[in-house]
Amino acid sequence: MRGVNADSRRVTPSSGTPTGVRSVLGRLAVPAGVLAAVAGAFAYVGAVDPNEPGHYPVCPLLRLTGLYCPGCGGLRAAHAFAHGDIATALTDNALAVLGFLAFAAGWTVWVVRTVRGRPTRIELPSVALWSLGALTLVFTVVRNLPFGGWLHP
């Protein structure tokens, strides 16, 4: 097993690039693919206005019960967010905007850990997950109460 852990920046004869760089670029393929998929989804929602009827399906919970789910207004928020209108995005669905920002932070941590060669598994403590669930539940209940009209999409 001679030379297994030798210089990781050794140049490969076929490409002329250091193997360390190739390794990092290979590890970044999945985060780059996820970013491309999310950017494509935001580009589509930014181009096809969800405020125009007929482009997207109606929320089944809203249609059947008249109650807003935690995701109601999320497409409108994504459309406003894609156009840089953060105030409108927050009024359409504040929880979705927080989700967009949390995704951006999580994706950034993922990329940094990948570049550094560290494991990409991020474990949240159970109290954080329970808090996220409680926040979603409170958001859903308050937006459906008479005094929570400011949270309606």
Side-chain angles (χ1 to χ4, degrees), residues 16-147:
T17 60
T19 57
V21 171
R22 177 178 278 177
S23 174
V24 169
L25 291 176
R27 289 192 311 256
L28 286 175
V30 174
V34 169
L35 180 63
V38 170
F42 264 92
Y44 180 78
V45 172
V48 180
D49 190 359
N51 294 307
E52 298 292 325
H55 291 289
Y56 299 99
V58 177
C59 173
L61 182 69
L62 180 62
R63 180 174 291 248
L64 294 173
T65 66
L67 298 173
Y68 295 110
C69 76
C72 281
L75 285 174
R76 289 186 291 275
H79 179 76
F81 196 84
H83 288 274
D85 190 359
I86 306 301
T88 301
L90 285 169
T91 58
D92 286 336
N93 191 325
L95 194 61
V97 173
L98 290 176
F100 304 154
L101 297 175
F103 171 81
W107 185 86
T108 303
V109 168
W110 183 18
V111 167
V112 168
R113 291 178 71 90
T114 298
V115 167
R116 292 182 178 170
R118 294 186 177 157
T120 57
R121 185 174 182 161
I122 300 171
E123 294 184 26
L124 296 174
S126 60
V127 69
L129 298 175
W130 280 102
S131 298
L132 180 62
L135 173 70
T136 304
L137 180 65
V138 168
F139 175 77
T140 304
V141 169
V142 170
R143 78 187 316 203
N144 285 294
L145 293 175
F147 63 86

